[in-house]
Amino acid sequence: MYLDHAATTPLRASAREAWLAAAEEVGNPSSLHAAGRRARAILEDARERIAAALGADAAEVILTSGGTEADNLAIKGLHWGRAAEDPARRDLVISAVEHHAVLDPARWLAERGDADLVELPVDPAGRIDAGALGGAVGATTSLVSVMWANNEVGTVQPVAAVVEAARAHGVPVHADAVQAVPYLDVHLHRSGLDALTVSAHKVGGPVGVGALLARRGLPLVPVAHGGGQQRSVRSGTLDAPGAAAFAAALDDAVAERDAERARLERLRARLVEGLRARVPEATVSGPADPAHRLPGIVHLVVPGARAESVLFLLDAVGIAASSGSACTAGLVQSSHVAMATGWSADDAACTVRLSLGRTSTDEDVAAVLDALPDAVARARAASGR
Ligand code: PLP
């Protein structure tokens, strides 16, 4: 029973086929000979399809090795680029619930003295206050980066209000849309965003492929230097099979988006209802309004039931779930997202994320509802509760 789709979701048949077909070609897309031109054609076709699926122009798609690299390029590249144009712009504004792929480069920039970091607080449901954002953005801001949807709790952020607040001060806005793409209408041009991050393996493409979509003319300082590919913004031999597989998965994910969202909302409702009855000590995180959260994520805080114990016990009966927070050497750290929404460090180590996706069924929901009460009771007993 796989309830960890927010971590990664199974490879689609269309993506596998596209990858295998493209991998039959030998050429490096930058080579001038016929084999290289064939690989280049596959790559550029994929780039155009990725752009079309996400409301961008092909020239605005910078292919990367995944969401982490795209976030790093956005945060470091745009902050350095904007600060180089105007040294007064040192303030980098992010939300307190960003994925580590945004949080860590932002903190790194601050630690080395390149930026003054502002981490916007969130409400108990995990949403930033767009009004507070207005007060945090001004003539000294280099960049605002607020994720479209959160990977742990599933909260959707008010992207339009963020864009509006930043635009008044000429500040570019980046959003990590990695979790949003499968379920929300992620469209670069309609959103008003300047840049957004996407990752293939969250839509049924391969791991290790992603993109930063960045509007033309943005001051984007490269992070990886080398052969000058992708107009020197991101050097490195281009991965034609990966791009082709990403495009195929994205086409399918976008075509299925509305139906999947409705289907998962129904499954989620059943899961939440069952949890309230069977694990009453659990608090379900995130906004109640479906318009403000992803359909597939159920995030729980169960004080006293440490995440690593619950996950181990679920795994022992064949259920794959996660805590939603980073694991180091097998130990779950207190989630910075849970703490930002008001939980203590102790309680923030007692989180479980059940994430539904394309292959999820009623049987998955029934299985986890059967297994969780016992897992929680045993985990609480182990910690003396
Ligand atoms: N951003 C968010 C919100 C994510 O959920 C993830 C993956 O967990 C990433 C970034 C990193 O993407 P990748 O695994 O492609 O590096």
Side-chain angles (χ1 to χ4, degrees), residues 31-202:
S31 296
L32 295 178
H33 47 63
R37 292 198 303 276
R38 278 196 296 276
R40 167 67 71 177
I42 291 169
L43 183 95
E44 294 308 335
D45 171 68
R47 197 195 296 277
E48 271 171 31
R49 287 164 62 196
I50 293 166
L54 298 169
D57 297 336
E60 294 170 319
V61 177
I62 303 161
L63 294 163
T64 65
S65 63
T68 301
E69 187 194 335
D71 279 342
N72 270 265
L73 179 57
I75 298 298
K76 296 173 193 164
L78 286 173
H79 175 77
W80 280 330
R82 210 61 187 95
E85 285 178 347
D86 177 358
R89 293 198 180 262
R90 285 185 47 83
D91 302 342
L92 172 56
V93 179
I94 64 171
S95 86
V97 293
E98 293 302 308
H99 189 276
H100 279 288
V102 165
L103 195 58
D104 289 18
R107 288 183 178 167
W108 179 82
L109 285 172
E111 275 159 23
R112 70 199 303 272
D114 285 7
D116 295 322
L117 182 60
V118 180
E119 292 185 25
L120 296 170
V122 295
D123 68 15
R127 264 169 84 85
I128 63 157
D129 176 353
L133 172 68
V137 181
T140 55
T141 310
S142 61
L143 171 69
V144 174
S145 180
V146 173
M147 69 200 315
W148 199 310
N150 181 263
N151 51 299
E152 292 189 29
V153 180
T155 307
V156 174
Q157 298 295 350
V159 173
V162 172
V163 167
E164 201 183 311
R167 186 172 286 156
H169 301 280
V171 176
V173 184
H174 163 256
D176 177 332
V178 166
Q179 296 286 343
V181 169
Y183 305 112
L184 306 178
D185 179 23
V186 172
H187 189 287
L188 179 72
H189 293 163
R190 271 206 298 272
S191 69
L193 288 163
D194 298 282
L196 61 84
T197 290
V198 291
S199 172
H201 73 107
K202 310 289 181 172

Side-chain angles (χ1 to χ4, degrees), residues 105 139 141 243 290 317 322 365 375 381:
T141 310
V317 294
S322 79
V365 170

Side-chain angles (χ1 to χ4, degrees), residues 71 110 130 185 187 262 294 303 325 334 369 374:
D71 279 342
D185 179 23
H187 189 287
L294 294 176
S325 59
S334 298
L369 285 175
D374 182 54

Side-chain angles (χ1 to χ4, degrees), residues 100-380:
H100 279 288
V102 165
L103 195 58
D104 289 18
R107 288 183 178 167
W108 179 82
L109 285 172
E111 275 159 23
R112 70 199 303 272
D114 285 7
D116 295 322
L117 182 60
V118 180
E119 292 185 25
L120 296 170
V122 295
D123 68 15
R127 264 169 84 85
I128 63 157
D129 176 353
L133 172 68
V137 181
T140 55
T141 310
S142 61
L143 171 69
V144 174
S145 180
V146 173
M147 69 200 315
W148 199 310
N150 181 263
N151 51 299
E152 292 189 29
V153 180
T155 307
V156 174
Q157 298 295 350
V159 173
V162 172
V163 167
E164 201 183 311
R167 186 172 286 156
H169 301 280
V171 176
V173 184
H174 163 256
D176 177 332
V178 166
Q179 296 286 343
V181 169
Y183 305 112
L184 306 178
D185 179 23
V186 172
H187 189 287
L188 179 72
H189 293 163
R190 271 206 298 272
S191 69
L193 288 163
D194 298 282
L196 61 84
T197 290
V198 291
S199 172
H201 73 107
K202 310 289 181 172
V203 293
V207 177
V209 183
L212 180 69
L213 274 51
R215 288 196 194 234
R216 282 195 199 82
L218 275 183
L220 194 51
V221 172
V223 170
H225 299 86
Q229 293 89 345
Q230 305 197 82
R231 286 175 282 122
S232 291
V233 174
R234 196 279 191 177
S235 285
T237 300
L238 284 152
D239 174 8
F246 185 14
L250 200 49
D251 280 345
D252 285 355
V254 169
E256 291 167 8
R257 200 185 251 161
D258 292 345
E260 264 306 272
R261 187 170 179 165
R263 192 182 75 84
L264 293 187
E265 272 299 342
R266 286 194 293 274
L267 276 186
R268 184 186 187 279
R270 219 164 290 155
L271 179 53
V272 169
E273 192 188 336
L275 288 169
R276 293 221 161 100
R278 295 191 201 191
V279 195
E281 58 275 53
T283 301
V284 178
S285 316
D289 182 348
H292 293 164
R293 57 169 168 73
L294 294 176
I297 293 184
V298 177
H299 180 271
L300 306 169
V301 183
V302 199
R306 287 197 54 97
E308 64 267 26
S309 306
V310 176
L311 299 180
F312 175 80
L313 291 162
L314 289 178
D315 190 39
V317 294
I319 294 176
S322 79
S323 67
S325 59
C327 292
T328 311
L331 272 184
V332 176
Q333 297 167 341
S334 298
S335 152
H336 69 285
V337 176
M339 286 195 284
T341 60
W343 292 94
S344 68
D346 276 352
D347 290 342
C350 299
T351 57
V352 179
R353 180 187 67 184
L354 306 169
S355 52
L356 308 168
R358 206 171 82 246
T359 58
S360 300
T361 60
D362 280 321
E363 286 70 46
D364 296 323
V365 170
V368 79
L369 285 175
D370 273 349
L372 202 59
D374 182 54
V376 163
R378 288 170 66 186
R380 293 186 108 200

